[in-house]
Amino acid sequence: MTTQDHRDDYLDLDAIVGSLDDSADASTAGDADGTAPAARAALHHSSYATAPGYRLKVRQGPGTDTPVVRRLAEGARIQIRCQTRGQRVSGPYGTSNIWDNIAPGEYVSDAYVRTGSSGMVTQSCMN
């Protein structure tokens, strides 16, 4: 994937969020962190690249002490359903205690996912 491809990913996301912001009304007032629910929904369906050169372990919970349920293919893209805080992990994209839920009972460390942010990019998981 080229640098231009990454720029295109961000431009597409900016266009989606921008169009949602333009159409926001009182029923889509921002959440506590200032993100409109419609924008969160758009982000929820975004696809993110995992770190190149890794077959990322998918775990049953937000920590390395939970069982591995499967491995992702190298270069896989994921959709993040929600995010939660768990064990702090260091990876190619920094050190983070954020874990991305990609399916029921399936979590990957955000330190191995290129979200373009050091914080959460979607809603918190309801535990």
Side-chain angles (χ1 to χ4, degrees):
M1 182 172 273
T2 68
T3 301
Q4 184 61 43
D5 291 333
H6 288 298
R7 284 190 197 121
D8 291 345
D9 287 344
Y10 289 113
L11 292 175
D12 291 345
L13 183 57
D14 288 343
I16 292 168
V17 173
S19 68
L20 290 171
D21 288 344
D22 292 343
S23 64
D25 60 19
S27 67
T28 60
D31 291 345
D33 67 357
T35 305
R40 282 193 181 279
L43 291 173
H44 174 79
H45 297 290
S46 296
S47 172
Y48 298 95
T50 58
Y54 293 89
R55 291 197 62 223
L56 199 53
K57 292 177 183 175
V58 178
R59 296 188 174 273
Q60 198 170 52
T64 59
D65 58 340
T66 65
V68 174
V69 294
R70 64 185 174 114
R71 283 180 169 257
L72 298 177
E74 191 174 321
R77 294 189 67 85
I78 61 168
Q79 288 188 346
I80 301 173
R81 300 173 69 232
C82 61
Q83 293 177 301
T84 192
R85 302 222 181 252
Q87 180 183 8
R88 184 169 294 278
V89 172
S90 293
Y93 301 118
T95 300
S96 178
N97 68 344
I98 298 172
W99 286 74
D100 304 328
N101 177 255
I102 60 171
E106 295 189 1
Y107 295 83
V108 295
S109 171
D110 197 61
Y112 287 85
V113 180
R114 185 181 178 97
T115 62
S117 173
S118 60
M120 292 199 174
V121 296
T122 193
Q123 65 192 359
S124 293
C125 299
M126 303 306 271
N127 295 336

